[in-house]
Amino acid sequence: MVRQKQANKRQQELTVGEVASRAGVSVPTLHFYESKGLIRSWRNQSNHRRYGRDVLRRVAVIKIAQRAGMPLSSIREALAALPDQRTPNATDWREMSTRWQAELEERILCLTQLRDDLSECIGCGCLSIESCPLRNPGDCLADEGCGARLLEP
């Protein structure tokens, strides 16, 4: 009975190479995700990393969220909100993606505005001319004197 339980547990464990291969990511990517608290592993008696099979779904969720443009901090926050750090299911994914929609819409608006404003930019690099709508609209930094200024919208 004990041997059967141990055998079942080993069948559910994946090596870092197996996870990387099946998830379509590199081993360093898995280490990075782990360092950021996105996935978890444990060490076996030989001190080798082992992952549960559920890590494959977590990696898939991470990759899809990244592809949608979500920063790792937002992904980590969403995954950390799951009870007992469990793997997201379809309902969890719907809730995460719904929360991210507003953030994505805001990014789309910013990028659309940037794209539209680029046509007015002459590309000289000075960023202090009156007609630069990107970094110094209305030459608002002129009163602060010469030199570079950083404006974030």
Side-chain angles (χ1 to χ4, degrees), residues 72-125:
L72 287 179
S73 59
S74 294
I75 299 168
R76 180 179 52 246
E77 184 179 302
L79 291 173
L82 297 173
D84 300 323
Q85 297 288 313
R86 70 173 163 74
T87 298
N89 56 33
T91 301
D92 297 325
W93 175 252
R94 277 192 298 276
E95 290 173 9
M96 284 185 232
S97 61
T98 298
R99 280 185 297 217
W100 290 333
Q101 284 179 1
E103 188 175 336
L104 290 172
E105 286 296 328
E106 185 178 327
R107 284 188 186 171
I108 290 168
L109 288 173
C110 288
L111 287 171
T112 301
Q113 185 66 46
L114 178 63
R115 180 202 62 207
D116 294 346
D117 289 345
L118 279 174
S119 63
E120 297 176 24
C121 180
I122 62 172
C124 69

Side-chain angles (χ1 to χ4, degrees), residues 35-70:
S35 74
K36 297 298 180 185
L38 298 166
I39 61 174
R40 293 183 301 189
S41 71
W42 65 90
R43 301 284 180 157
N44 66 8
Q45 291 176 342
S46 302
N47 202 30
H48 297 140
R49 282 181 210 266
R50 293 293 183 255
Y51 296 89
R53 291 191 172 297
D54 62 332
V55 77
L56 295 170
R57 177 171 285 183
R58 285 181 79 91
V59 172
V61 166
I62 294 164
K63 287 174 57 178
I64 292 167
Q66 283 184 299
R67 189 169 181 198
M70 298 311 302

